Amino acid sequence: MFRDDYAIDAILNGEISLAEPSKAPNGGNNKQILVLDKLNAGPSFADFVTSGSGVEGAVLPEDAFKLKTAMVGPKGKKKEITRLPEWLKTPVPVGDNFKKIKNDLRGLNLHTGKWNPLLRIVCEEARCPNISDCWGGSSKSAATATIMLMGDTCTRGCRFCSVKTSKAPPPLDPHEPEHTAEALSRWGLGYVVLTSVDRDDLADGGAHHFAETIRKIKQKAPTMLVEALTGDYAGDMEMVKTVAQSGLDVYAHNVETVEALTPQVRDRRATFHQSLKVLETAKTSKKGLITKTSIMLGLGETEDQLWHTLKELRAVNVDVVTFGQYMRPTKRHMKVHEYITPTVFELLRQRALDMGFLYCASGPLVRSSYKAGESFIENVLKKRTARKNETIMAAGSEIDTTAASS
């Protein structure tokens, strides 16, 4: 520790170079110069960041994803716990686009403004670890925000979810569709994900409310892409069709986990095959509609169970799948069975694409609406356009061949 500011000031003023220390400027003594000589003789910055196996203390590739444990608790009652892996820790959100969207949000007063004091921005309220990725992407037009409709109280009790539950939640706000659409049109994003709690207390499960919100958004912002992440409407496929035919661009419904674990993970009223039926019905209700689902990993699923799930999803023509790590919200919820490494997530992504999914987001921190705007614009639409062009070219070639032969 320096006992005076001489050496610091000299460095900042360019009078002393750490690389080539010389005599003390302005007639000073050599005490500080000796300190700087020792600094230069010490480890360089590269010694701290080098990951090669030749550097003593460096992290080897095979050790990078090893889990660390610790003993916690009072003396005599200590127990071993697994520490949160490094790859699940996220940096502070940054980026010009992120800051701009955040400032726009404050300017619109979406939380407390006159348009809708109850509009719920899930990205911030849930403290999503991907907010910087979704809001800080290439442009505002590709940014994604997730909005929660129909209140904050769910009629179901899934064992992985911390949303509060009740058999009789508050009634719906009849002005929510109009207010939500107005606020979003002023915000100016290119992509919005609408989601909601389950409302089994309502005859239609809230489907008409959901559909009306989508229609209002499309009226006020025709170019905005809308994704609806819905529940299963208690198996009422007419309600699924109501939402699917409301003008949205992507219909999402999460199977959450593999079939074998569904009874232990989800509310008993939700079944794996019922979710498959929701996705299939949505797909066939509107030509060209993109369907999407999400799967949490680390719940105890096996590789065979996972491949079976993906095959079932492709059998009903699901277009997009995402994989993310299950994170235990509180001690009252299911324990994490396993932390999946980034390497495995990447293998799953490649496998999903090989199976025919148009797009797959896969990573420890990925959630169902992760960078949905960018993935839709940059992957799904481009691939669909390419396939359409290939079909047109193939048809043209057949016409030319027929004409030549005749």
Side-chain angles (χ1 to χ4, degrees):
M1 179 74 71
F2 291 114
R3 293 184 180 276
D4 56 54
D5 295 326
Y6 164 76
I8 296 176
D9 289 339
I11 293 171
L12 294 176
N13 293 331
E15 297 169 344
I16 295 179
S17 168
L18 280 174
E20 297 178 358
S22 57
K23 66 179 183 178
N26 303 325
N29 60 44
N30 291 327
K31 175 182 175 183
Q32 287 79 18
I33 299 302
L34 293 175
V35 173
L36 296 177
D37 283 337
K38 290 182 178 181
L39 285 174
N40 285 321
S44 68
F45 177 71
D47 293 329
F48 290 97
V49 299
T50 302
S51 58
S53 58
V55 179
E56 184 179 357
V59 178
L60 300 176
E62 59 267 26
D63 295 331
F65 296 141
K66 282 187 176 179
L67 296 176
K68 298 178 181 179
T69 60
M71 301 301 294
V72 298
K75 188 175 181 180
K77 296 183 179 180
K78 289 185 179 295
K79 62 179 181 179
E80 185 179 70
I81 64 167
T82 300
R83 290 194 177 278
L84 189 70
E86 290 298 320
W87 61 83
L88 287 173
K89 299 176 182 179
T90 57
V92 175
V94 293
D96 293 339
N97 203 46
F98 169 80
K99 293 176 182 177
K100 177 172 174 40
I101 292 174
K102 192 175 181 70
N103 289 335
D104 289 347
L105 175 62
R106 297 293 172 267
L108 286 173
N109 291 321
L110 290 183
H111 289 286
T112 59
K114 77 175 199 176
W115 293 115
N116 191 354
L118 298 178
L119 190 62
R120 307 181 66 82
I121 313 299
V122 177
C123 314
E124 288 198 309
E125 291 194 10
R127 298 181 181 179
C128 179
N130 302 311
I131 191 170
S132 181
D133 289 338
C134 292
W135 288 14
S138 56
S139 68
K140 188 175 179 181
S141 63
T144 303
T146 302
I147 308 298
M148 176 79 85
L149 301 176
M150 301 194 291
D152 62 354
T153 305
C154 187
T155 54
R156 298 191 184 181
C158 295
R159 295 157 189 84
F160 62 87
C161 181
S162 61
V163 172
K164 62 183 179 181
T165 63
S166 172
K167 290 182 179 179
L172 299 181
D173 175 8
H175 303 294
E176 184 177 50
E178 175 70 26
H179 293 166
T180 299
E182 182 63 35
L184 288 173
S185 67
R186 295 173 62 202
W187 200 2
L189 296 183
Y191 197 106
V192 62
V193 179
L194 301 177
T195 188
S196 73
V197 291
D198 280 296
R199 293 297 300 261
D200 298 294
D201 60 312
L202 304 174
D204 67 346
H208 290 92
H209 187 91
F210 213 127
E212 181 63 15
T213 304
I214 295 168
R215 283 191 287 269
K216 292 288 187 181
I217 292 172
K218 287 294 186 176
Q219 288 172 8
K220 294 178 180 292
T223 60
M224 183 178 290
L225 297 171
V226 179
E227 175 180 323
L229 174 57
T230 78
D232 58 19
Y233 298 113
D236 188 341
M237 296 304 134
E238 289 303 314
M239 296 304 101
V240 174
K241 292 178 183 178
T242 296
V243 177
Q245 296 171 353
S246 62
L248 78 172
D249 301 283
V250 179
Y251 193 109
H253 172 70
N254 294 339
V255 296
E256 307 293 5
T257 187
V258 298
E259 182 178 1
L261 295 180
T262 296
Q264 290 79 44
V265 174
R266 302 173 70 187
D267 186 277
R268 295 286 178 172
R269 286 166 284 187
T271 69
F272 181 78
H273 285 283
Q274 184 164 278
S275 289
L276 286 180
K277 189 63 177 176
V278 168
L279 291 163
E280 182 180 26
T281 301
K283 187 70 174 178
T284 57
S285 296
K286 178 187 175 185
K287 185 178 180 181
L289 182 64
I290 298 291
T291 51
K292 173 181 174 182
T293 196
S294 184
I295 300 173
M296 296 178 292
L297 302 181
L299 292 165
E301 66 283 339
T302 67
E303 185 176 342
D304 288 341
Q305 290 171 345
L306 197 52
W307 300 147
H308 171 74
T309 300
L310 293 178
K311 289 176 183 177
E312 291 281 278
L313 292 171
R314 285 302 300 136
V316 294
N317 295 313
V318 172
D319 299 295
V320 178
V321 64
T322 69
F323 298 106
Q325 172 70 52
Y326 165 64
M327 301 290 287
R328 191 183 191 187
T330 71
K331 291 182 178 180
R332 295 182 291 104
H333 292 81
M334 293 182 63
K335 292 182 179 180
V336 176
H337 185 272
E338 179 184 7
Y339 287 113
I340 311 299
T341 66
T343 301
V344 173
F345 275 109
E346 175 57 22
L347 291 173
L348 289 172
R349 188 185 72 84
Q350 292 292 343
R351 182 67 178 271
L353 295 177
D354 291 342
M355 293 178 71
F357 288 95
L358 285 179
Y359 177 72
C360 174
S362 181
L365 294 172
V366 167
R367 297 298 178 259
S368 60
S369 56
Y370 175 73
K371 296 184 76 173
E374 289 194 22
S375 69
F376 185 89
I377 295 167
E378 296 180 9
N379 294 277
V380 177
L381 286 183
K382 287 182 179 179
K383 286 182 180 179
R384 281 205 156 179
T385 301
R387 289 182 181 180
K388 184 178 180 180
N389 291 338
E390 288 176 3
T391 302
I392 293 173
M393 291 178 64
S397 298
E398 289 181 6
I399 293 173
D400 292 339
T401 302
T402 304
S405 61
S406 59

